[in-house]
Amino acid sequence: MMAPRSLTTRLPVAGLAFRPFFLLAALFGIVALMAWLAFWQGDVLLRPWGGMLWWHQHEMLFGFGAAVIAGFLLTAAQNWTGRPAPTGLPLLGLVALWAVARGLLAFPIGLPGWGVMLIDVGFLVAVAGVMARMVIAAGRWRNLVFLPLLGLLAVANLAMHLGAWWGDGELARAGARLAVLLIAAVMVVLGGRVIPLFTANRLGGPRPQSRRWLEGATLGSMAAVLGAQLAVLPGMAPPEGVMAGALALAALANALRLARWGGLRTWREPLLWGLHVSYAALPLGLGMWALAALGAFRVELAVHTLTVGAMGTMMLAMMARVSLGHTGRPIVTLPGMGVALGLLAVAGLLRGPLLAALPGITHLTYSLTIILWCLAYAIFLLHYAVPLSSVRSDGKAG
């Protein structure tokens, strides 16, 4: 008698976290932004919990962004710790928690605000709990850095929900901005680990040696920025000059850090230059935020430089690379992926620096940015939907 096949064999998408979360994040990002585009053009397709503006901000951070982060961290943690990551039914349970929250926020069914909040915030708490178990069991204490970041993301999510529930727009806005800076901090930590390594491995030559003072300045300045924004939640916002100074220092430190990674040599490799370009959007966005804190222009322009130019581009580049490596395929740039990464980089420039210089083209730029994002992630889905939902090409598990 043949042994029954495992769930992950019958349903490969339940193999490792990157499979369902990358697939669903890309699809959800397109659908959510198309709904936002329709609203921007005057057509109301949804009447979500919290209203369309709150829903758009929240779902791009905690719908799209949190799914990508969960997929990457829970997959990478298996390599970092040597401990098995969730697969099968436990993984599908996490996916279901994420999906139920998305459905309840988009289509309220009378569930009280605290109920929606518990389900949505519970997803990040569950991800942090799973990762904590893996890291602690393996004693790989270096990776504990991600646990406070995930915990603070849950706090930012809670603040957004409470702001919507209580009708406190300032609290919701502060939570959203904290989430943006937290995701930027995750990219700073991960970028410092993988971008110089990937670049050296692909192009040859030694990996640039990290300089302790520069790493300390980079991480310390980001921690100062997070602390300043966290203080805004209970109404203890620091003076504008303090916030601007911390942001400017973080921008300078990240720019110096990036300059040492040899990004100019990567122009032939889109999966590499996409990472370098996305990381370059971090100091650009942080520097713009510093100027915005001093009243130069609206903070939202800096926020979108970070979310579209940095977050959107880096997540696409990492999803493309991880999805190839973990499905047993050669890590090469598939046709059109360079275009997709370029579209997101252009979208980040349009939605941030261009609008800061030419504020009169707001409506056209908003619409074009949304279209460019959707095209980029549609190209990703075209190439990766089948690999993400199929068995590994080398026959291994995962």
Side-chain angles (χ1 to χ4, degrees), residues 18-382:
F18 78 95
R19 289 178 176 270
F21 283 120
F22 287 2
L23 191 60
L24 289 172
L27 181 60
F28 178 76
I30 293 173
V31 172
L33 279 179
M34 292 305 294
W36 178 244
L37 178 62
F39 175 77
W40 187 246
Q41 299 296 330
D43 297 320
V44 179
L45 303 180
L46 291 175
R47 297 191 183 276
W49 195 87
M52 278 299 295
L53 177 59
W54 183 93
W55 180 81
H56 166 65
Q57 294 173 337
H58 181 274
E59 290 302 87
M60 293 311 294
L61 293 169
F62 296 106
F64 168 80
V68 177
I69 291 171
F72 180 83
L73 287 181
L74 292 180
T75 301
Q78 180 166 280
N79 294 333
W80 296 338
T81 65
R83 307 290 297 184
T87 61
L89 289 178
L91 174 58
L92 292 180
L94 283 174
V95 173
L97 189 60
W98 175 87
V100 168
R102 308 288 66 81
L104 290 175
L105 288 169
F107 305 102
I109 56 174
L111 195 67
W114 61 265
V116 179
M117 179 174 65
L118 287 177
I119 293 171
D120 189 38
V121 176
F123 169 70
L124 283 170
V125 174
V127 171
V130 171
M131 190 166 181
R133 178 179 56 80
M134 296 172 67
V135 170
I136 293 172
R140 299 297 178 90
W141 310 117
R142 177 175 179 237
N143 298 302
L144 283 176
V145 65
F146 293 105
L147 299 182
L149 290 174
L150 287 170
L152 287 174
L153 265 178
V155 170
N157 194 3
L158 180 64
M160 286 201 74
H161 275 279
L162 290 176
W165 191 15
W166 296 341
D168 187 342
E170 289 299 320
L171 179 59
R173 187 178 301 110
R177 291 176 180 177
L178 176 60
V180 171
L181 292 172
L182 284 165
I183 294 174
V186 171
M187 291 190 289
V188 167
V189 175
L190 285 176
R193 290 188 180 190
V194 304
I195 295 177
L197 175 64
F198 290 168
T199 303
N201 288 348
R202 181 63 177 170
L203 301 181
R207 177 181 178 181
Q209 293 296 315
S210 62
R211 296 181 177 176
R212 183 171 297 180
W213 68 268
L214 182 55
E215 293 300 300
T218 302
L219 299 177
S221 60
M222 286 301 301
V225 169
L226 292 176
Q229 184 60 38
L230 187 61
V232 177
L233 296 184
M236 298 186 295
E240 293 176 348
V242 172
M243 185 66 168
L247 286 161
L249 179 58
L252 177 60
N254 277 287
L256 292 175
R257 193 190 201 203
L258 175 65
R260 304 186 63 251
W261 292 344
L264 294 179
R265 298 189 298 133
T266 67
W267 65 276
R268 293 180 181 273
E269 300 283 347
L271 292 187
L272 283 180
W273 65 246
L275 291 173
H276 285 266
V277 167
S278 65
Y279 201 94
L282 284 173
L284 176 60
L286 293 169
M288 289 180 62
W289 200 322
L291 293 174
L294 298 176
F297 39 72
R298 293 178 293 116
V299 175
E300 285 71 22
L301 299 177
V303 167
H304 281 90
T305 301
L306 291 172
T307 53
V308 180
M311 182 177 84
T313 309
M314 183 177 286
M315 287 183 174
L316 181 63
M318 288 300 297
M319 287 163 66
R321 185 182 185 93
V322 169
S323 297
L324 290 173
H326 281 277
T327 56
R329 291 165 172 80
I331 301 177
V332 296
T333 304
L334 300 179
M337 286 305 301
V339 173
L341 291 164
L343 291 176
L344 280 176
V346 170
L349 291 174
L350 289 176
R351 191 61 180 82
L354 181 66
L355 277 181
L358 301 170
I361 57 171
T362 303
H363 190 280
L364 174 63
T365 305
Y366 282 6
S367 300
L368 182 57
T369 301
I370 293 171
I371 293 169
L372 293 178
W373 175 294
C374 292
L375 287 174
Y377 277 93
I379 293 172
F380 171 83
L381 286 174
L382 179 66

